[in-house]
Amino acid sequence: SQQGEEDPQALSIQEGENATMNCSYKTSINNLQWYRQNSGRGLVHLILIRSNEREKHSGRLRVTLDTSKKSSSLLITASRAADTASYFCATDLPSGANSKLTFGKGITLSVRP
Amino acid sequence: DGGITQSPKYLFRKEGQNVTLSCEQNLNHDAMYWYRQDPGQGLRLIYYSQIVNDFQKGDIAEGYSVSREKKESFPLTVTSAQKNPTAFYLCASSMMAGMNTEAFFGQGTRLTVV
């Protein structure tokens, strides 16, 4: 079973608009990470937020984490056509020697020029 | 030039054959992972390793085997016991599992059973 569940499954917006993607998870985590994948390629790390952090920024990216609701959101501001990709959240579980990185099913973002 | 390299990029296998996918990293990372990606399924964890000579099963380990004889290398064998092996396979590494570090991914191997 997958730990993270992203929402929505697909998102289509106009260039210049903001894109908001959500992720919910089931168990306690060390951190939550967001990744991007262009079609047929490997994943690229975007941002990591630790369990004791509530908000983090990186360029046009803003990530929030609510551990009480077990949820996170990724906001991409002023979107560009080049932001078109799949986005995944991943949770790093605090299971000690068996800590592992688990991914959700992903969100397909289309940014129309 | 540091990174994580998967080979081959495309692989074709006849039914009943075992095949081995290569994953090599020169990032001096302790943890390495293998994921399988199917359309609409996201990434599912097959095996992971936090240290040389040790590895753990992920969520879908049946029909797969791995070894971790060297820190740099984590090959994945898809055995004939894997009923539906056609998929996109991704290898990743990180500095140390559970230590708030990002994972780096290879470019993937697309395996097709013919």
Side-chain angles (χ1 to χ4, degrees):
Chain A
S1 63
Q2 290 175 282
Q3 159 80 325
E5 294 287 341
E6 293 96 341
D7 171 66
Q9 289 186 327
L11 183 60
S12 181
I13 59 174
Q14 200 73 36
E15 202 166 27
E17 294 179 338
N18 295 343
T20 300
M21 291 169 270
N22 303 300
C23 172
S24 59
Y25 57 92
K26 298 172 185 173
T27 63
S28 296
I29 58 173
N30 270 342
N31 63 69
L32 188 141
Q33 304 178 32
W34 285 91
Y35 289 79
R36 167 195 168 123
Q37 182 183 35
N38 286 74
S39 181
R41 307 294 297 272
L43 277 69
V44 175
H45 181 263
L46 295 175
I47 197 165
L48 180 154
I49 187 165
R50 300 182 184 192
S51 59
N52 62 352
E53 297 176 315
R54 292 298 166 257
E55 187 171 315
K56 205 162 182 181
H57 296 255
S58 177
R60 293 185 296 114
L61 305 180
R62 172 179 169 249
V63 170
T64 61
L65 179 64
D66 186 335
T67 52
S68 66
K69 295 181 179 178
K70 292 187 171 56
S71 68
S72 172
S73 67
L74 171 67
L75 169 68
I76 303 175
T77 60
S79 64
R80 305 166 182 168
D83 294 328
T84 295
S86 293
Y87 292 81
F88 294 86
C89 71
T91 51
D92 195 359
L93 306 181
S95 54
N98 290 323
S99 180
K100 57 186 179 180
L101 196 60
T102 307
F103 286 79
K105 294 186 177 183
I107 297 169
T108 301
L109 173 65
S110 299
V111 181
R112 303 186 301 275
Chain B
D1 194 19
I4 180 165
T5 303
Q6 288 185 243
S7 62
K9 189 171 182 179
Y10 299 97
L11 186 58
F12 297 89
R13 188 195 94 170
K14 292 182 179 179
E15 285 194 28
Q17 281 183 337
N18 292 355
V19 289
T20 297
L21 283 59
S22 170
C23 179
E24 304 276 334
Q25 53 97 0
N26 61 3
L27 300 167
N28 199 33
H29 284 170
D30 290 302
M32 296 188 76
Y33 306 83
W34 273 107
Y35 296 91
R36 169 180 171 141
Q37 187 175 30
D38 297 279
Q41 294 286 329
L43 275 69
R44 292 184 289 170
L45 184 63
I46 306 172
Y47 269 98
Y48 60 108
S49 167
Q50 295 188 0
I51 196 169
V52 175
N53 292 322
D54 189 41
F55 48 82
Q56 285 80 39
K57 293 182 179 180
D59 299 318
I60 56 164
E62 185 176 351
Y64 300 97
S65 66
V66 293
S67 62
R68 187 85 187 276
E69 296 176 2
K70 297 186 299 180
K71 189 176 186 177
E72 303 79 24
S73 179
F74 191 41
L76 173 74
T77 297
V78 184
T79 74
S80 56
Q82 170 50 237
K83 299 302 179 192
N84 184 22
T86 295
F88 189 50
Y89 291 87
L90 287 160
C91 180
S93 69
S94 66
M95 194 173 297
M96 189 177 292
M99 294 297 289
N100 291 318
T101 59
E102 66 189 271
F104 292 79
F105 280 80
Q107 290 302 301
T109 293
R110 189 166 297 280
L111 173 63
T112 304
V113 173
V114 296

